[in-house]
Amino acid sequence: MTSEITLFVNPTAGRGRGARAALPAASALRAAGFSVRTVLGEDAADALARARDAVEEGTGALVAVGGDGMVNLALQAVVGTGTPLGLIAAGTGNDFARSLGMPLKEPAAAGRMIADALKCGRVRDIDLGRAGDRWFGTVLASGFDSRVNDRGNRMRLPAGRFKYDLAMVAELGALRPIPYRITLDDGDVREVEATLVAVGNGASYGGGMRICPGADLTDGLFDVTVVGDCGRATLLRIFPTVYRGTHVDRPEVSVFRASRVELAAEEVTGYADGEPLGPLPLTASCVRGAVRVVGP
C-alpha cells in the first residue's frame, strides 16, 4: 500500500471545525511517516470528482474530515474500490464515526488511530445501504424526522442546529399520521399509519439518536424502525428515549429486519446520512461488505 494518504476536507463542517481539524489530523499522519495530500472542491460535485481521481490514482486511504455529509460524499468515491476510508469526525452529528468507534472531535487522536490501523492492516469491510445510485452508511430517514429536515433546510435564519429545533416545534404543530406502504424483502406490502420509518444500516442519526439500536454494520441486514401513529404528547415522551435506544420497547414502535426495503408515501422526502435522497417511493438495499474502513 502506498504511503500517501488523501485528506478529503469539508472546510465548512461544524462552522469551520472541518478546516481546523484537518491540520492536527495531517500532522499526526505525517508524524507516523505518511505523505498527506489534501482534496477540497468548489462544490460537492467538484469535491467528489477530485476524491474519485485520488482513489483512481492509487491513494493509500481516503480520510474524510467533516461530518456525516462529508462521509456520505466520501463513500461515493471509495465504495467497491478496496481503498480504505478513514474518518476525522469534525461535524455536528458524526454518527458514522460513532458507529465505527472513532474519536469524536479529537482530530489528532483520530489521525493517530488511522495511522496505526493502516500500519497494522487493521481494516475491515462493512455493509452500506444503497438507494438508487446513492450509497449511505447510517440511516435512511422518512416521515416526521425528514419533514423537520425539509423545513429546517428552507429556513434561512437562525443559523446552526437551532433552526432545526424550531423546525421540530413547527412540525409538531402540524403532526399527523402518514399512510405508508412498506415491503420487506419479497414479502407482502404492509400498509400502516406511521409517524416515521427509519431504515438503519447503522444505529444512530441526528448526533447520537439511536433510532435503530440493534443495527449491525456487518450482518447484511437493515434494522427498520417504525414509529406508529402517535400524538404530540406521546411523541414527546418517546423522543428522549431514542438517545438510549429504549424507544423500541414501547408498544407504538415496531422493529423489522430485511436486506431490501421499499417505502412509499405521499409528500415525504427520504434522507440518508442527513442528505436528501428525493421523494418516496424509494427502494433501499443492504450491500454486504461494500466498503473498507479503517478503525479501532
Side-chain angles (χ1 to χ4, degrees):
M1 182 183 69
T2 177
S3 63
E4 182 187 84
I5 302 300
T6 301
L7 285 187
F8 188 38
V9 182
N10 180 357
T12 64
R15 298 185 184 181
R17 283 196 300 269
R20 293 192 297 272
L23 297 177
S27 295
L29 288 163
R30 290 190 178 106
F34 290 95
S35 171
V36 178
R37 63 181 288 196
T38 300
V39 168
L40 300 169
E42 296 179 0
D43 52 32
D46 181 54
L48 178 56
R50 292 171 186 257
R52 283 176 167 156
D53 287 344
V55 170
E56 290 176 5
E57 291 164 7
T59 188
L62 186 69
V63 179
V65 185
D68 288 320
M70 195 61 176
V71 174
N72 182 268
L73 202 59
L75 289 174
Q76 317 309 312
V78 298
V79 64
T81 67
T83 299
L85 174 66
L87 307 181
I88 307 293
T92 303
N94 302 315
D95 287 287
F96 196 67
R98 183 178 285 105
S99 69
L100 296 179
M102 294 297 295
L104 304 182
K105 300 180 183 178
E106 297 181 44
R112 289 191 295 269
M113 181 179 288
I114 290 168
D116 181 65
L118 288 171
K119 286 184 171 183
C120 298
R122 199 165 61 245
V123 297
R124 58 188 172 123
D125 294 335
I126 64 167
D127 307 338
L128 291 179
R130 185 173 188 175
D133 62 354
R134 295 291 296 181
W135 297 86
F136 64 93
T138 57
V139 177
L140 190 166
S142 72
F144 175 78
D145 42 10
S146 66
R147 285 178 169 169
V148 170
N149 265 325
D150 282 339
R151 185 181 289 268
N153 290 343
R154 293 194 300 268
M155 295 168 62
R156 298 185 63 185
L157 293 173
R161 289 189 66 91
F162 186 53
K163 71 178 179 180
Y164 292 98
D165 294 336
L166 291 180
M168 181 179 291
V169 171
E171 285 300 322
L172 279 171
L175 184 67
R176 63 190 186 279
I178 300 169
Y180 277 92
R181 297 181 302 282
I182 306 171
T183 307
L184 305 177
D185 293 324
D186 295 322
D188 295 333
V189 176
R190 301 169 186 262
E191 297 191 3
V192 299
E193 299 270 318
T195 301
L196 65 87
V197 178
V199 179
N201 182 55
S204 69
Y205 65 177
M209 290 189 287
R210 295 176 56 79
I211 188 68
C212 301
D216 183 337
L217 292 171
T218 61
D219 66 356
L221 296 171
F222 292 126
D223 273 33
V224 184
T225 299
V226 180
V227 178
D229 179 10
C230 58
R232 286 187 290 273
T234 301
L235 186 59
L236 287 171
R237 285 195 296 271
I238 291 173
F239 181 75
T241 69
V242 176
Y243 286 94
R244 301 189 299 274
T246 56
H247 61 291
V248 296
D249 299 325
R250 294 189 59 98
E252 301 90 352
V253 180
S254 302
V255 177
F256 306 94
R257 289 187 171 88
S259 61
R260 185 174 183 274
V261 180
E262 297 179 37
L263 296 178
E266 300 293 330
E267 299 181 357
V268 175
T269 304
Y271 281 75
D273 295 339
E275 301 297 308
L277 286 177
L280 271 57
L282 287 170
T283 299
S285 300
C286 186
V287 181
R288 189 186 288 271
V291 70
R292 183 158 294 171
V293 294
V294 182

